[in-house]
């Protein structure tokens, strides 16, 4: 039997977009199981609201993930999932993952910095305005 690539679909997480992330990840898991069962072994990697990690319902330490998956499909949303933090974790543990790296993700979440970098490279972007909390 050929080795199936183990794809860890990471979902949930501590952000306000927890429910959206659960649904996104569930959809990815469903598609992998339905259409790619002979090529991939999907693994449900759930991060609860308190930051505890689980794989296929079993609690694990985050650093154990590298021994349980070949690649991660990042379905986390918002803080921790899109801001470069989980990407930096994957990078530091040598876990290949989908999406942008930690630096690109961090810059992308900081809209002011992203617009400045785009402008510095002559790339146009929509007008924007930064509002302080007092405003």
């Amino acid at each position: 039997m050929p080795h199936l690539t183990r794809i860890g679909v990471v979902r949930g997480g501590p952000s306000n977009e927890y429910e959206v992330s659960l649904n996104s990840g569930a959809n990815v898991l469903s598609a992998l199981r339905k259409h790619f069962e002979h090529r991939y072994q999907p693994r449900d990697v759930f991060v609860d609201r308190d930051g505890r990690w689980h794989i296929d319902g079993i609690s694990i330490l985050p650093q154990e993930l590298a021994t349980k998956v070949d690649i991660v499909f990042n379905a986390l949303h918002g803080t921790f999932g899109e801001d470069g933090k989980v990407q930096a974790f994957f990078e530091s543990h040598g876990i290949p993952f989908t999406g942008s790296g930690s630096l690109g993700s961090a810059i992308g979440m900081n809209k002011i910095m992203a617009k400045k970098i785009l402008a510095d490279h002559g790339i146009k972007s929509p007008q924007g305005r930064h509002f302080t909390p007092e405003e």
Side-chain angles (χ1 to χ4, degrees):
M1 181 171 168
H3 171 74
L4 300 179
T5 302
R6 301 169 300 169
I7 300 179
V9 179
V10 182
R11 62 194 190 112
S15 87
N16 292 336
E17 298 184 50
Y18 175 81
E19 296 294 334
V20 173
S21 175
L22 287 181
N23 291 332
S24 294
N27 288 329
V28 172
L29 285 165
S30 176
L32 286 170
R33 289 176 179 142
K34 182 177 179 180
H35 301 290
F36 301 101
E37 66 210 18
H38 301 296
R39 188 166 178 192
Y40 301 114
Q41 179 188 7
R43 307 291 309 268
D44 184 8
V45 182
F46 168 69
V47 181
D48 68 25
R49 291 182 191 264
D50 295 321
R52 291 183 299 259
W53 291 60
H54 309 80
I55 189 163
D56 299 327
I58 299 170
S59 184
I60 64 166
L61 296 172
Q63 56 270 27
E64 293 178 87
L65 187 63
T67 65
K68 307 209 179 286
V69 301
D70 300 308
I71 188 169
V72 162
F73 185 103
N74 182 12
L76 294 173
H77 291 269
T79 305
F80 186 67
E82 296 179 274
D83 62 2
K85 291 183 180 104
V86 78
Q87 293 84 352
F89 169 79
F90 296 146
E91 290 167 352
S92 70
H93 287 81
I95 303 170
F97 60 95
T98 61
S100 300
S102 59
L103 180 59
S105 296
I107 290 169
M109 283 292 277
N110 183 327
K111 304 308 181 218
I112 295 167
M113 183 182 293
K115 287 183 75 56
K116 180 181 179 345
I117 290 171
L118 291 170
D120 289 350
H121 288 85
I123 301 170
K124 294 180 181 182
S125 67
Q127 285 186 335
R129 176 154 183 237
H130 175 72
F131 290 92
T132 64
E134 295 78 32
E135 294 176 300

